[in-house]
Amino acid sequence: MGEILDTLLDYPEIEQSDYWFNAQDMQADEAAPDLLAAVADRLGIHFHQVGLYLAPDSIPSGTLQLAVDDKAGETCGIVTMPTWPTALVSAPTWKKNGATLDDTIDIFTASIPLNF
């Protein structure tokens, strides 16, 4: 019986990772103040927000707000991860745009440490 139980408990470990879902357009007045400050001197910015989740359990872990500057080919992003009693908010970070908005979002989410 011990041998059978030992084999039942030998499952591969599933690595945790972040993923995003449901990119939405966002108005500038909905953006984090630090994100607005980082793009204040740029024109033609459009804003987006996505929910961040922890796989494999689909646990909501935060949000990513993006300010996209298509003319410069750059995007500024801020990650917010709620915790009690206060939220953790990253500094505004600039990255080169991907080929699509989805690619740009992937660039940002790939750089979020799981222990943020």
Side-chain angles (χ1 to χ4, degrees):
M1 186 63 142
E3 283 181 38
I4 293 172
L5 289 175
D6 286 342
T7 61
L8 290 177
L9 299 176
D10 193 21
Y11 291 104
E13 293 278 329
I14 298 176
E15 201 170 301
Q16 288 189 330
S17 62
D18 282 322
Y19 71 94
W20 64 272
F21 178 72
N22 199 18
Q24 298 177 356
D25 293 342
M26 183 176 70
Q27 298 300 314
D29 63 355
E30 299 172 280
D34 287 347
L35 182 60
L36 289 174
V39 301
D41 61 340
R42 297 185 184 220
L43 300 174
I45 301 293
H46 53 99
F47 295 87
H48 305 275
Q49 180 169 290
V50 297
L52 301 174
Y53 299 86
L54 188 59
D57 300 320
S58 299
I59 298 170
S61 59
T63 58
L64 168 64
Q65 291 186 347
L66 300 171
V68 181
D69 184 340
D70 289 322
K71 186 175 179 182
E74 298 176 319
T75 296
C76 187
I78 286 186
V79 175
T80 302
M81 295 195 166
T83 60
W84 187 86
T86 60
L88 296 173
V89 180
S90 72
T93 303
W94 287 96
K95 296 192 178 281
K96 294 290 256 177
N97 290 353
T100 66
L101 177 61
D102 287 356
D103 291 339
T104 301
I105 294 168
D106 287 341
I107 291 167
F108 277 89
T109 57
S111 66
I112 299 170
L114 290 177
N115 60 354
F116 182 87

